[in-house]
Amino acid sequence: MPKNTKVTQLQHSNEPVTESVADLLSLEHPMDYKSSQMSMGLSPGSTAPGRALLPDPDAEDGRPAWNNKLEYILAQVGFSVGLGNVWRFPYLCQKNGGGAYLVPYFILLLLIGIPLFFLELAVGQRIRRGSIGVWNYVYPQLGGIGVSSLMVCGFVGLYYNVIIGWSIFYFFQSFQYPLPWAECPIQRNGTQAIVEPECEKSSATTYFWYRQALNITSTIDDTGGLNWKMTLSLLVAWIMVCLAVIKGIQSSGKVMYFSSLFPYVVLFCFLVRGLLMKGAVDGIAHMFTPKLEKMLEPQVWREAATQVFFALGLGFGGVIAFSSYNKRDNNCHFDAALVSIINFLTSILATLVVFAVLGFKANVMNEKCVVENAEKILGYLNTGVLSKELIPPHINFSHLSAQDYSEMYGVIKTVKEDNFGQLGLDPCILEDELNKAVQGTGLAFIAFTEAMTHFPASPFWSVMFFFMLINLGLGSMIGTMTGITTPILDAFKIRKEILCVVCCVIAFLLGLLFVQRSGNYFVTMFDDYSAGLPLTVVVILENVSVAWIYGTKRFMQDLEDMLGFRPYSFYYYMWRYVSPAILVVLIAATVIEMAVSPAGYNAWVESEGSEHFHSYPPWALAMAYALIVVAMLPLPIIYVVRQFNLVSDGSNKLSVSYRKGMMKDISNLEEQDEQRFILSKNPSEAPSPMPPHRAYLGPGGTQEMTNTNYGTSTKTGYQNIGSPESEL
């Protein structure tokens, strides 16, 4: 070996060194560098007598890997495409200008969505660790990013699986005809039969949701005890999730073949069926008719940015965890663009389906309104309240169309202007029905279920719809659970089967909070407070730690060495300037909205059969803000303890699984060009594929180790050859 190489200098140096590569490898198989392939002058691919070349480090590190690329893509798609694509995106389209909303959404997808998704895929794939290990490596003082990400995953997983439980309950209730939410229940009092008052004041589907399914209380203060139907459904949901993730990606990868693809089959079936029904075109036309003036409103851009942010699962740790099981030369740039576009197109497909079905429902409800009000007018005509001369001669009450009713309504309103309000007539305008914006559980469990009651063979469509929701939720929960278990498995040597079972049991017990009779109010609280602000902070710190602390140029060089090509300069400017700026604005807007908007929830009032907004009581408000604080607390705590060296950051430790990889790297150092591996291709060029995030410190941790190759003082960092052990 040439005597001016870094390895021989460190071996023969008299300078006291705390840990050298030889020290680190001494716990494994010691290697005689003089008899190595480099010093013997062997040709590439040959072996020394009595010594076989070590296998590829990726194969030796014992880390599981995806069976094929399709499994991985389906896992990322399953994680990113979730319930929000079905019940959040269509609502935002309707609320924020229809087709015009797609413009800010797509722009922000390009500016923050794809670049940040690419960033997470790249760091996970390169460092091959979960969220905690990745950010411990990039910048140990910001190691709290991974812990905060894990905690948010925990909070979201607790209530997200409750929604899967609700879908399971509705799924099993769908195996009957007629559907149990098709009509209001009848109460019999002797010979009298009366409609349930609560149902009569609302609707059959609304009554079934609030009373039969949730059996909800009127306030968050009144817990009402456990709802045993929902408790059993939640147990089934956690058993499903546990079975899906118990073997890690070996089991979840197989599940994704079905859970990621089946929802598309259902969506296409619903789209075809919806387009064949009356009113579907009205719904789609209403949806995509652009209201361009909406694009000038800041609120539209804020909500588009938030939707882009959460649609791709940024900050949860699931994206990093999934990509950490890839080979290092996988084209993660292509993956980022592919998954992002699939997510966007899925949202559009879901929007088409939702508004085709809601358009059909709006026509049914409008026709019902026309019939009811026509009967009122006939009654007024028979009693002499209205003159028959007010009715246009061409109108036939036995075949009354919406246009005929609208004409008749206009005439009566003009003539009876003074006492028109006393008649109690409704305008029955289709546009008004289409403008009734619903989202979340209101869309899935009330509006959509009501529309399906009017379908031919309604139980079949109901079973398909809720089975689709279960699969959409399961795909997202697998990613969420992987974001929790992967960093823990990286840091602690425990069996993943045991960890998964323990996590699911604990989550089920904590999830009992959401299956009380007041549980829906806590689901709303967690949805509003546990993820929004903490995740936005997590992602901007991810961006800053890579682009400004680690260095965008160094990161771009890493990507070039990893992918075999240099990504577009577009990403350089997005990561360094544009994405952080947009995220800062998003954080500010979120804080302002939280400060301005009253903190509360929509409570169901049984006596009125409707929802009313209630402010949170002090204890509930404290709980809501505690969710934000607890999720973000690891960030300052870990920064302080690492900054003042109160605990080790693990930077001088190499994972045992990487030591064998290091041995091969050192034995092949000369063939691969030593300067490129340790310094760079030339002293003035960008660093190597894993450049050190700081200098290696000598004894006492205060003196930097240097050498004088090329007449310069060059910092060395052995941790850049592998990745450090993930630890707090």
Side-chain angles (χ1 to χ4, degrees):
M1 176 179 290
K3 293 186 178 181
N4 66 338
T5 63
K6 286 182 175 292
V7 175
T8 54
Q9 281 185 8
L10 291 175
Q11 281 183 326
H12 300 126
S13 172
N14 293 324
E15 181 181 354
V17 181
T18 338
E19 280 184 296
S20 68
V21 174
D23 295 328
L24 292 171
L25 299 181
S26 63
L27 297 176
E28 292 292 312
H29 305 290
M31 183 173 184
D32 182 3
Y33 297 114
K34 294 182 180 180
S35 63
S36 69
Q37 178 176 323
M38 286 186 292
S39 61
M40 295 177 65
L42 297 178
S43 60
S46 62
T47 60
R51 180 184 297 276
L53 278 178
L54 287 168
D56 180 70
D58 283 353
E60 277 286 306
D61 67 6
R63 191 169 188 81
W66 297 102
N67 291 327
N68 52 65
K69 183 66 173 282
L70 179 60
E71 267 189 20
Y72 167 66
I73 293 297
L74 289 178
Q76 291 286 15
V77 169
F79 177 51
S80 66
V81 175
L83 298 173
N85 295 74
V86 174
W87 67 33
R88 178 70 178 166
F89 187 88
Y91 162 76
L92 291 175
C93 272
Q94 181 184 21
K95 176 186 174 186
N96 295 318
Y101 173 75
L102 299 179
V103 176
Y105 184 88
F106 189 72
I107 291 174
L108 290 167
L109 179 66
L110 294 177
L111 295 182
I112 61 173
I114 295 177
L116 294 178
F117 192 60
F118 180 28
L119 184 146
E120 289 200 356
L121 290 179
V123 295
Q125 180 174 308
R126 187 62 187 92
I127 302 175
R128 291 173 63 80
R129 286 293 179 269
S131 56
I132 294 178
V134 161
W135 303 114
N136 272 347
Y137 180 82
V138 173
Y139 188 58
Q141 280 86 335
L142 289 180
I145 293 174
V147 184
S148 288
S149 176
L150 187 148
M151 296 189 72
V152 172
C153 275
F155 288 150
V156 172
L158 286 177
Y159 78 84
Y160 201 88
N161 219 26
V162 174
I163 301 173
I164 299 178
W166 293 342
S167 302
I168 291 171
F169 174 76
Y170 268 78
F171 173 75
F172 285 108
Q173 290 291 316
S174 299
F175 288 95
Q176 49 187 305
Y177 184 81
L179 291 170
W181 51 82
E183 296 177 354
C184 285
I186 304 297
Q187 290 183 344
R188 295 199 173 274
N189 185 9
T191 58
Q192 249 186 348
I194 59 172
V195 177
E196 171 65 43
E198 184 182 3
C199 184
E200 190 175 22
K201 293 174 182 176
S202 53
S203 68
T205 50
T206 305
Y207 172 81
F208 186 88
W209 167 243
Y210 283 113
R211 189 55 52 213
Q212 299 294 331
L214 300 180
N215 194 19
I216 200 166
T217 58
S218 57
T219 66
I220 196 172
D221 290 300
D222 181 11
T223 61
L226 287 177
N227 180 339
W228 290 106
K229 291 181 289 188
M230 289 302 145
T231 303
L232 183 60
S233 299
L234 179 64
L235 178 61
V236 173
W238 276 113
I239 291 174
M240 289 172 56
V241 171
C242 189
L243 292 176
V245 301
I246 195 166
K247 293 289 186 181
I249 62 170
Q250 301 305 319
S251 57
S252 61
K254 302 295 185 295
V255 173
M256 287 297 183
Y257 278 111
F258 184 81
S259 65
S260 295
L261 294 175
F262 179 74
Y264 290 97
V265 175
V266 177
L267 285 174
F268 277 112
C269 289
F270 265 98
L271 180 61
V272 173
R273 185 67 189 90
L275 291 175
L276 295 176
M277 294 187 296
K278 181 182 178 181
V281 176
D282 295 330
I284 294 175
H286 174 78
M287 173 67 254
F288 287 103
T289 300
K291 304 176 182 66
L292 298 178
E293 67 278 3
K294 284 278 189 178
M295 291 177 58
L296 301 177
E297 298 179 11
Q299 178 75 1
V300 173
W301 290 83
R302 188 191 70 81
E303 292 189 344
T306 304
Q307 180 63 17
V308 166
F309 186 84
F310 290 106
L312 294 174
L314 299 174
F316 279 95
V319 173
I320 292 175
F322 280 149
S323 67
S324 72
Y325 298 113
N326 273 328
K327 292 183 177 180
R328 286 203 180 104
D329 60 353
N330 174 64
N331 189 348
C332 55
H333 174 257
F334 172 79
D335 299 342
L338 178 64
V339 174
S340 300
I341 296 301
I342 289 176
N343 188 292
F344 178 58
L345 295 177
T346 303
S347 297
I348 295 178
L349 173 62
T351 301
L352 286 171
V353 171
V354 167
F355 277 91
V357 173
L358 292 185
F360 162 72
K361 172 180 172 286
N363 266 269
V364 171
M365 300 306 294
N366 197 56
E367 289 176 359
K368 183 179 178 182
C369 175
V370 168
V371 170
E372 290 176 351
N373 284 273
E375 290 176 354
K376 287 183 184 180
I377 293 174
L378 280 174
Y380 292 144
L381 292 173
N382 293 332
T383 57
V385 176
L386 292 176
S387 170
K388 294 182 180 180
E389 296 177 357
L390 296 178
I391 309 302
H394 65 276
I395 288 181
N396 183 356
F397 276 90
S398 60
H399 297 88
L400 190 64
S401 66
Q403 290 80 6
D404 291 340
Y405 174 78
S406 178
E407 182 182 351
M408 184 168 57
Y409 177 87
V411 172
I412 295 173
K413 185 177 181 180
T414 303
V415 175
K416 294 286 185 179
E417 184 176 357
D418 296 335
N419 57 353
F420 179 78
Q422 299 174 3
L423 298 177
L425 298 177
D426 298 316
C428 298
I429 300 174
L430 181 63
E431 191 77 10
D432 292 343
E433 284 291 336
L434 291 170
N435 280 330
K436 291 180 179 178
V438 286
Q439 65 165 324
T441 54
L443 174 62
F445 298 105
I446 297 177
F448 216 88
T449 52
E450 183 175 355
M452 287 187 294
T453 59
H454 301 289
F455 281 23
S458 55
F460 168 77
W461 294 104
S462 184
V463 166
M464 292 283 283
F465 176 71
F466 289 109
F467 195 36
M468 178 190 72
L469 292 188
I470 292 170
N471 280 277
L472 284 173
L474 183 61
S476 296
M477 275 303 298
I478 288 173
T480 302
M481 287 296 292
T482 305
I484 295 172
T485 58
T486 297
I488 297 176
L489 290 171
D490 288 343
F492 304 101
K493 303 305 177 186
I494 56 178
R495 289 179 61 87
K496 56 176 165 285
E497 293 88 350
I498 296 175
L499 176 63
C500 288
V501 171
V502 170
C503 286
C504 290
V505 170
I506 293 174
F508 169 72
L509 295 176
L510 293 176
L512 295 178
L513 171 70
F514 306 102
V515 290
Q516 303 175 102
R517 290 180 58 197
S518 61
N520 187 46
Y521 304 138
F522 289 99
V523 170
T524 302
M525 177 193 293
F526 272 64
D527 190 39
D528 290 341
Y529 290 92
S530 68
L533 184 59
L535 272 187
T536 313
V537 173
V538 162
V539 173
I540 192 173
L541 290 177
E542 289 180 358
N543 193 347
V544 168
S545 63
V546 170
W548 288 90
I549 298 175
Y550 186 82
T552 312
K553 291 182 179 179
R554 299 170 71 187
F555 187 56
M556 293 288 280
Q557 181 63 40
D558 288 354
L559 291 174
E560 183 175 0
D561 290 317
M562 185 169 70
L563 302 177
F565 63 89
R566 192 172 187 83
Y568 301 115
S569 299
F570 166 82
Y571 292 105
Y572 176 90
Y573 295 104
M574 292 300 105
W575 288 329
R576 192 160 180 84
Y577 304 111
V578 179
S579 295
I582 293 175
L583 290 174
V584 167
V585 173
L586 183 58
I587 290 175
T590 302
V591 172
I592 291 171
E593 186 191 22
M594 290 176 62
V596 173
S597 303
Y601 61 102
N602 289 319
W604 179 254
V605 181
E606 180 179 354
S607 59
E608 299 180 13
S610 61
E611 288 183 329
H612 287 268
F613 182 82
H614 287 190
S615 295
Y616 282 123
W619 67 267
L621 191 61
M623 181 179 179
Y625 286 121
L627 292 173
I628 299 175
V629 173
V630 170
M632 296 173 63
L633 203 56
L635 295 169
I637 289 179
I638 292 180
Y639 181 84
V640 170
V641 297
R642 294 269 172 83
Q643 184 69 22
F644 296 100
N645 297 318
L646 301 180
V647 296
S648 170
D649 60 17
S651 61
N652 286 333
K653 284 187 179 181
L654 286 178
S655 158
V656 172
S657 63
Y658 274 83
R659 291 176 186 158
K660 294 180 180 178
M662 281 178 54
M663 290 167 65
K664 182 189 176 187
D665 290 333
I666 293 170
S667 68
N668 290 294
L669 206 54
E670 195 143 283
E671 296 162 340
Q672 298 180 8
D673 188 351
E674 180 189 0
Q675 284 78 22
R676 182 182 184 279
F677 194 84
I678 296 180
L679 292 171
S680 63
K681 296 179 181 178
N682 292 305
S684 60
E685 287 183 2
S688 63
M690 286 302 290
H693 53 273
R694 64 186 179 288
Y696 184 88
L697 300 181
T702 57
Q703 182 181 359
E704 292 182 7
M705 285 196 60
T706 62
N707 72 50
T708 56
N709 275 359
Y710 311 103
T712 61
S713 177
T714 309
K715 300 176 182 178
T716 64
Y718 294 110
Q719 68 272 24
N720 68 338
I721 302 176
S723 69
E725 188 72 81
S726 301
E727 66 177 37
L728 297 181

Coordinates of all heavy atoms in Angstrom, one line a residue, residues 274-286 352 354-364 367 430 434:
G274 N -71.7 5.5 -11.9 CA -72.2 6.9 -11.6 C -72.5 7.6 -12.9 O -73.6 8.3 -13.0
L275 N -71.7 7.4 -13.9 CA -71.9 8.1 -15.2 C -73.2 7.7 -15.9 O -73.7 8.4 -16.8 CB -70.7 7.9 -16.1 CG -69.4 8.7 -15.7 CD1 -68.3 8.3 -16.6 CD2 -69.6 10.2 -15.6
L276 N -73.7 6.5 -15.5 CA -74.9 5.9 -16.2 C -76.1 6.4 -15.5 O -77.2 6.1 -15.9 CB -74.8 4.4 -16.2 CG -73.7 3.8 -17.0 CD1 -73.7 2.2 -16.9 CD2 -73.9 4.1 -18.5
M277 N -76.0 7.1 -14.4 CA -77.2 7.6 -13.6 C -77.5 9.0 -13.9 O -76.6 9.8 -14.3 CB -76.9 7.4 -12.1 CG -76.8 5.9 -11.7 SD -76.7 5.7 -9.9 CE -75.1 6.5 -9.6
K278 N -78.8 9.4 -13.8 CA -79.2 10.7 -14.0 C -78.6 11.7 -13.1 O -78.6 11.5 -11.9 CB -80.8 10.7 -13.9 CG -81.4 12.1 -14.2 CD -82.9 12.1 -14.0 CE -83.5 13.5 -14.3 NZ -84.9 13.5 -14.1
G279 N -78.1 12.8 -13.6 CA -77.6 13.8 -12.7 C -76.1 13.8 -12.5 O -75.5 14.7 -12.0
A280 N -75.4 12.7 -12.9 CA -74.0 12.5 -12.7 C -73.2 13.6 -13.5 O -72.3 14.2 -12.9 CB -73.5 11.1 -13.2
V281 N -73.6 13.9 -14.7 CA -73.0 14.9 -15.5 C -73.1 16.3 -14.8 O -72.2 17.1 -14.8 CB -73.5 14.9 -16.9 CG1 -72.9 16.1 -17.7 CG2 -73.2 13.6 -17.6
D282 N -74.3 16.5 -14.2 CA -74.5 17.8 -13.5 C -73.5 18.0 -12.4 O -72.9 19.0 -12.2 CB -75.9 17.9 -12.9 CG -77.0 17.9 -14.0 OD1 -76.7 18.4 -15.1 OD2 -78.1 17.4 -13.8
G283 N -73.3 16.9 -11.6 CA -72.3 16.9 -10.5 C -70.9 17.2 -11.0 O -70.2 18.0 -10.4
I284 N -70.5 16.5 -12.1 CA -69.1 16.6 -12.6 C -68.9 18.0 -13.1 O -67.9 18.7 -12.9 CB -68.8 15.6 -13.6 CG1 -68.8 14.2 -12.9 CG2 -67.5 15.8 -14.3 CD1 -68.6 13.0 -13.9
A285 N -69.9 18.5 -13.9 CA -69.8 19.9 -14.5 C -69.8 20.9 -13.4 O -69.0 21.9 -13.5 CB -71.1 20.1 -15.4
H286 N -70.5 20.7 -12.3 CA -70.5 21.7 -11.2 C -69.1 21.7 -10.5 O -68.6 22.7 -10.1 CB -71.6 21.3 -10.2 CG -71.5 22.1 -8.9 ND1 -72.0 23.4 -8.8 CD2 -71.0 21.8 -7.7 CE1 -71.8 23.9 -7.6 NE2 -71.2 22.9 -6.9
L352 N -64.0 12.8 -9.4 CA -65.0 12.5 -10.4 C -66.0 11.5 -9.9 O -67.2 11.7 -10.1 CB -64.3 11.8 -11.6 CG -63.4 12.8 -12.5 CD1 -62.6 11.9 -13.5 CD2 -64.4 13.7 -13.3
V354 N -66.9 10.9 -6.7 CA -67.7 11.6 -5.6 C -68.7 12.5 -6.2 O -69.9 12.4 -5.8 CB -66.8 12.3 -4.6 CG1 -67.6 13.2 -3.7 CG2 -66.0 11.3 -3.8
F355 N -68.4 13.3 -7.1 CA -69.3 14.3 -7.7 C -70.3 13.7 -8.7 O -71.4 14.2 -8.9 CB -68.6 15.5 -8.2 CG -68.3 16.5 -7.0 CD1 -67.1 16.4 -6.4 CD2 -69.2 17.4 -6.6 CE1 -66.8 17.2 -5.3 CE2 -68.9 18.2 -5.5 CZ -67.7 18.1 -4.9
A356 N -69.9 12.6 -9.3 CA -70.8 11.9 -10.1 C -72.0 11.3 -9.3 O -73.2 11.4 -9.6 CB -70.2 10.8 -10.9
V357 N -71.6 10.7 -8.2 CA -72.5 10.1 -7.2 C -73.3 11.2 -6.5 O -74.6 11.1 -6.4 CB -71.8 9.2 -6.2 CG1 -72.8 8.7 -5.1 CG2 -71.2 8.0 -6.9
L358 N -72.7 12.3 -6.1 CA -73.4 13.4 -5.4 C -74.3 14.1 -6.4 O -75.3 14.7 -6.0 CB -72.4 14.3 -4.8 CG -71.6 13.8 -3.6 CD1 -70.7 14.9 -2.9 CD2 -72.5 13.2 -2.5
G359 N -73.9 14.2 -7.7 CA -74.8 14.8 -8.7 C -76.1 14.0 -8.8 O -77.2 14.5 -8.9
F360 N -75.9 12.6 -8.8 CA -77.1 11.8 -8.8 C -78.0 12.0 -7.6 O -79.2 12.1 -7.7 CB -76.7 10.3 -8.9 CG -77.7 9.3 -8.6 CD1 -78.8 9.1 -9.4 CD2 -77.6 8.6 -7.4 CE1 -79.8 8.2 -9.1 CE2 -78.6 7.7 -7.0 CZ -79.7 7.5 -7.9
K361 N -77.3 12.1 -6.4 CA -78.0 12.3 -5.2 C -78.7 13.6 -5.2 O -79.9 13.8 -4.8 CB -77.1 12.2 -4.0 CG -77.7 12.6 -2.7 CD -76.7 12.5 -1.6 CE -77.2 13.1 -0.3 NZ -77.2 14.6 -0.3
A362 N -78.1 14.7 -5.7 CA -78.7 16.0 -5.8 C -79.9 16.0 -6.6 O -80.9 16.6 -6.3 CB -77.7 17.0 -6.3
N363 N -79.9 15.3 -7.7 CA -81.1 15.2 -8.6 C -82.2 14.5 -7.9 O -83.4 14.9 -8.0 CB -80.7 14.5 -9.9 CG -80.4 15.4 -11.0 OD1 -81.2 15.8 -11.8 ND2 -79.1 15.8 -11.1
V364 N -81.9 13.4 -7.2 CA -82.9 12.7 -6.4 C -83.6 13.6 -5.4 O -84.8 13.6 -5.2 CB -82.3 11.4 -5.8 CG1 -83.3 10.7 -4.8 CG2 -81.9 10.4 -6.9
E367 N -85.7 16.3 -7.0 CA -87.0 15.8 -7.4 C -87.9 15.5 -6.3 O -89.1 15.8 -6.3 CB -86.8 14.5 -8.2 CG -86.2 14.7 -9.6 CD -85.9 13.4 -10.3 OE1 -86.2 12.3 -9.7 OE2 -85.4 13.4 -11.4
L430 N -81.3 22.9 -8.1 CA -80.3 21.9 -8.1 C -79.0 22.4 -7.7 O -78.2 21.7 -7.0 CB -80.2 21.3 -9.5 CG -79.2 20.2 -9.7 CD1 -79.6 19.0 -8.9 CD2 -79.2 19.8 -11.2
L434 N -76.1 20.9 -4.9 CA -74.7 20.6 -5.3 C -73.8 21.4 -4.5 O -72.6 21.0 -4.3 CB -74.5 20.9 -6.8 CG -75.2 19.9 -7.8 CD1 -75.1 20.5 -9.2 CD2 -74.6 18.5 -7.7

